[in-house]
Amino acid sequence: MDALNDYYQTTNPRFISYTRQEFEQEFDESRDELEKLFSLDLLSCVEASCRVDYLNRLGKKLKDPVSRAMRSLGLPDPRKASLEEHILSTWQNVGAYRNGYMSEIKRVFKYRHWLAHGRYWVLRNGRILDFSSLYALMDPFISYIRSY
């Protein structure tokens, strides 16, 4: 964020011909784009954590209910497991996490797909989440997975 603030100075020659309104609009758009990139990064890390956890549970043949349910999926290539359909659904159906919360996490990953794949379609729920909200949602979930 410091780099963005350093760049968007009224003393920067690039903005010499900008009106105050044009300057502020471009700064706001850049800040919004940066927040989306932070959000994509966060959600990508959460997805990777979920996938690594899934593969570890399969490889170590853990005996807890979630691990057993994940093994019972019987996927021919576990590396191709769908995050939403296989991994998150298993946590939703077998894990002790609240159902409404897991539904929200699944919905958030639709936002992640929108961010990652060009944002050329309109989000069905029309809700763009800020980084702080995403972090507040994802941090307890990742802690839960790691402690289960």
Side-chain angles (χ1 to χ4, degrees):
M1 194 67 166
D2 288 342
L4 188 68
N5 288 327
D6 289 346
Y7 180 73
Y8 280 96
Q9 297 291 319
T10 54
T11 56
N12 183 334
R14 181 181 185 287
F15 303 115
I16 199 83
S17 65
Y18 279 47
T19 65
R20 185 75 179 164
Q21 183 179 7
E22 291 169 330
F23 176 81
E24 289 174 0
Q25 180 179 351
E26 186 171 320
F27 176 73
D28 290 344
E29 289 169 359
S30 295
R31 187 182 56 222
D32 291 345
E33 184 64 25
L34 187 59
E35 184 160 0
K36 286 180 178 112
L37 290 172
F38 286 158
S39 297
L40 175 60
D41 190 48
L42 171 68
L43 294 171
S44 296
C45 289
V46 171
E47 179 175 0
S49 292
C50 289
R51 290 183 181 284
V52 167
D53 173 78
Y54 168 73
L55 293 172
N56 282 337
R57 287 175 185 281
L58 295 183
K60 293 179 181 177
K61 298 186 180 182
L62 299 175
K63 305 296 184 208
D64 63 89
V66 171
S67 298
R68 287 176 189 221
M70 287 178 173
R71 278 195 307 278
S72 75
L73 293 172
L75 299 176
D77 186 354
R79 294 170 299 161
K80 294 185 179 177
S82 164
L83 179 66
E84 292 89 355
E85 185 180 331
H86 299 118
I87 299 170
L88 295 179
S89 288
T90 299
W91 278 106
Q92 185 173 20
N93 297 332
V94 181
Y97 231 63
R98 301 182 314 258
N99 252 352
Y101 186 83
M102 288 306 297
S103 296
E104 180 71 3
I105 286 176
K106 285 181 170 183
R107 189 186 64 71
V108 163
F109 276 100
K110 292 185 184 336
Y111 177 61
R112 179 243 178 262
H113 296 313
W114 179 77
L115 287 170
H117 298 288
R119 301 178 237 166
Y120 62 90
W121 67 91
V122 176
L123 285 173
R124 283 190 204 163
N125 64 10
R127 190 168 153 214
I128 295 177
L129 301 165
D130 62 278
F131 178 81
S132 297
S133 299
L134 289 173
Y135 189 87
L137 182 69
M138 292 299 169
D139 186 49
F141 175 62
I142 290 301
S143 296
Y144 175 73
I145 286 176
R146 288 181 179 156
S147 69
Y148 192 87

